[in-house]
């Protein structure tokens, strides 16, 4: 890791390029339980090589959201992509390896955790803390439960790329009637999360995983 230019930094304690882990205490208005959250950040080395934020310009933020039963380490391969293409990577950690994304899955769904609020507060924290990011340049990809999650929180992002999981119904109202770019990846013969929507098929378990 190399030391980052101090003019690029403020409050979150990011002092070098590469990987770092951060805690976020969600506000009482946004959270009832499990309010102490964790996310991992990757800053490309371009930030270390520039003398000012004017040289850097605005870098995109990309969320990479893990599956049900996984943790953020499942998305660590995105760090190389962030390095190669110069964006800030965020790998949030779900509580007990799960996300509350309306249909799916596990502990987070059962306890109605506000994971959309968690994502929103990460974006707010980075926007307030880093001079070289903008709220209108935030993107997301997610796998399975993470795919459900990025479509459930699509209004926070400029574009999303869900993989093997998406919101089946009422996506317009979920997205607060705003427009978000969508590049969807989903196998037609997916044995776990049906392309046509598990939740509509009474012969399968709820959402095939939740």
């Amino acid at each position: 890791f190399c030391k980052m230019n101090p003019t690029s930094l403020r409050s979150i304690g990011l002092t070098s390029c590469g990987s770092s882990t951060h805690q976020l205490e969600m506000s009482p208005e946004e959270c009832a339980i499990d309010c102490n959250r964790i996310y991992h950040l990757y800053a490309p080395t371009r930030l270390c090589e520039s003398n000012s934020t004017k040289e850097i310009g605005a870098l995109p933020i990309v969320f990479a959201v893990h599956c049900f039963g996984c943790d953020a380490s499942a998305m660590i391969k995105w760090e190389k992509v962030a390095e190669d293409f110069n964006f800030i990577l965020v790998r949030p950690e779900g509580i007990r390896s799960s996300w509350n994304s309306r249909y799916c899955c596990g502990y987070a769904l059962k306890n109605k955790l506000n994971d959309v609020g968690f994502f929103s507060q990460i974006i707010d924290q980075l926007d307030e803390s880093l001079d070289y990011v903008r709220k209108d340049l935030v993107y997301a990809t997610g796998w399975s439960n993470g795919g459900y999650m990025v479509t459930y929180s699509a209004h926070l992002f400029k574009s999303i790329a869900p993989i093997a999981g998406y919101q089946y119904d009422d996506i317009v109202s979920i997205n607060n009637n705003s427009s978000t770019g969508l590049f969807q990846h989903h196998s037609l013969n997916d044995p776990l999360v049906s392309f046509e929507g598990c939740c509509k098929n009474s012969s399968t378990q709820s959402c095939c995983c939740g």
Side-chain angles (χ1 to χ4, degrees), residues 21 24 27 49 55 67-68 73 83 100-101 105 109 135 137 145-146 151-152 159-160 175 179 182 196 198 203 206 208:
T21 298
L24 187 154
S27 64
E49 298 166 352
E55 287 185 17
C67 69
F68 177 48
S73 66
E83 179 64 30
N100 176 18
S101 51
C105 296
L109 179 68
K135 278 188 171 181
L137 290 176
N145 190 187
T151 48
Y152 193 46
S159 295
I160 58 173
N175 202 31
S179 59
L182 173 67
E196 297 179 352
C198 305
S203 68
S206 175
C208 302

Side-chain angles (χ1 to χ4, degrees), residues 20-40:
S20 55
T21 298
H22 304 271
Q23 290 192 343
L24 187 154
E25 187 70 29
M26 294 183 65
S27 64
E29 295 80 13
E30 296 283 345
C31 178
I33 61 172
D34 293 303
C35 300
N36 188 14
R37 304 300 298 265
I38 293 173
Y39 66 94
H40 309 280

Side-chain angles (χ1 to χ4, degrees), residues 7-12 14 24 39 41 53 57-61 63 88 90 118-138 156:
T7 60
S8 302
L9 309 175
R10 295 191 211 123
S11 65
I12 66 170
L14 186 62
L24 187 154
Y39 66 94
L41 208 63
T53 54
L59 297 188
I61 297 171
F63 279 60
I88 303 296
V90 176
F118 173 40
F119 285 12
S120 179
Q121 290 195 17
I122 292 174
I123 294 169
D124 287 343
Q125 187 177 78
L126 295 180
D127 181 60
E128 293 169 2
S129 302
L130 303 176
D131 293 325
Y132 43 80
V133 301
R134 297 202 326 242
K135 278 188 171 181
D136 61 338
L137 290 176
V138 185
L156 300 176

Side-chain angles (χ1 to χ4, degrees), residues 68 101-106 109 144-145 148 164-168 191-194 197-201 204-210:
F68 177 48
S101 51
R102 191 185 191 195
Y103 296 126
C104 176
C105 296
L109 179 68
S144 195
N145 190 187
Y148 286 100
Y166 66 100
Q167 299 296 323
Y168 310 121
L192 296 177
V193 181
S194 171
C198 305
C199 302
K200 295 181 178 180
N201 186 345
T204 65
Q205 58 179 310
S206 175
C207 276
C208 302
C209 57

Side-chain angles (χ1 to χ4, degrees), residues 150-163:
V150 299
T151 48
Y152 193 46
S153 54
H155 62 283
L156 300 176
F157 305 111
K158 186 177 180 69
S159 295
I160 58 173
I163 304 166

